[in-house]
Amino acid sequence: MKIAAVIVAFNPDPEELQANINAVSAQVEHVVLVDNSPIASIFENVSEYVWFPENVGVGRGQNVGIAKAEGLDADTVLLLDQDSHLLPNAVKYLSRALFSGDSVAAVGPVYRELNSGRLSGFFELGWLGPKRISGSSLEVGETVRTDFLISAGTLLKLSAFHTVGAMREDFFIDYIDTEWCIRVARSGYQLLGVGGELMLHRIG
């Protein structure tokens, strides 16, 4: 297993982004940074830097980053935003969950939302409507079935990614992860949520 993190950024705070790159680079083999900013920048601990002076959107940024990750011989990709800070051992728990079964296409962590300070949770659809699983109710590394994952913190198998298909680039920013998760289920795969506060993340 070789993991590459793909970070899509748009006019990031350089110090915050560098700190987030440093946090994830200690846990993966490669970091691919796709930077949608008017001015190119230099960051340490980055294996591949892709610069788009005009914002091409999250969907295209992720697809380009994933292609670069494959060029680095990665078979597993961790998607992150510029304000996603991975906590120690997060990749260990995520990868353990991802490879717990052949039908698992992707997994995502419980994270602490930086604006509100709240822990995230997961949703599973059912006949009586969506069932919410609180992140605070899960032990570290504990897994639950979920129907949706936000892209930030999602660890996915590239083999499953090719079966499910690429991210919708015409969606630009909104609902890219939701739409992809729907296709995961239609392709016969499943998604898992992983317990433990594994990431700090700012929504929006």
Side-chain angles (χ1 to χ4, degrees):
M1 177 177 59
K2 182 180 285 189
I3 303 174
V6 172
I7 303 174
V8 178
F10 172 70
N11 288 334
D13 176 281
E15 291 186 2
E16 180 185 37
L17 178 53
Q18 186 64 70
N20 294 341
I21 291 171
N22 294 344
V24 68
S25 66
Q27 302 184 50
V28 300
E29 280 72 28
H30 297 288
V31 175
V32 177
L33 176 59
V34 181
D35 191 4
N36 291 306
S37 301
I39 300 174
S41 301
I42 297 175
F43 294 92
E44 297 178 352
N45 296 322
V46 171
S47 304
E48 289 272 358
Y49 179 80
V50 182
W51 177 49
F52 289 110
E54 295 183 2
N55 189 1
V56 299
V58 173
R60 175 156 173 72
Q62 289 176 340
N63 287 336
V64 169
I66 290 170
K68 291 291 185 181
E70 285 195 284
L72 296 168
D73 292 326
D75 55 13
T76 309
V77 166
L78 176 66
L79 299 177
L80 293 169
D81 293 344
Q82 65 197 42
D83 49 9
S84 305
H85 186 86
L86 216 63
L87 296 176
N89 297 315
V91 170
K92 178 181 74 172
Y93 290 112
L94 290 171
S95 58
R96 186 180 298 167
L98 182 64
F99 289 95
S100 62
D102 293 339
S103 64
V104 181
V107 300
V110 171
Y111 61 89
R112 187 167 296 278
E113 206 283 301
L114 291 172
N115 291 329
S116 66
R118 297 175 181 171
L119 282 180
S120 68
F122 303 103
F123 289 90
E124 185 175 10
L125 300 178
W127 293 107
L128 300 178
K131 173 187 175 184
R132 186 179 189 279
I133 301 100
S134 171
S136 60
S137 67
L138 300 174
E139 299 292 331
V140 177
E142 183 180 358
T143 60
V144 293
R145 288 283 301 272
T146 184
D147 285 295
F148 300 104
L149 295 170
I150 67 167
S151 59
T154 290
L155 185 69
L156 59 86
K157 297 173 184 172
L158 282 176
S159 57
F161 176 80
H162 288 303
T163 300
V164 175
M167 305 299 175
R168 287 280 299 266
E169 297 184 4
D170 56 320
F171 281 20
F172 197 70
I173 293 175
D174 293 325
Y175 301 110
I176 295 167
D177 43 14
T178 303
E179 190 275 338
W180 191 79
C181 289
I182 292 172
R183 281 191 278 134
V184 167
R186 289 177 177 173
S187 300
Y189 286 103
Q190 62 176 309
L191 304 169
L192 295 179
V194 184
E197 185 179 334
L198 303 181
M199 183 176 74
L200 306 178
H201 178 66
R202 185 177 293 108
I203 298 291

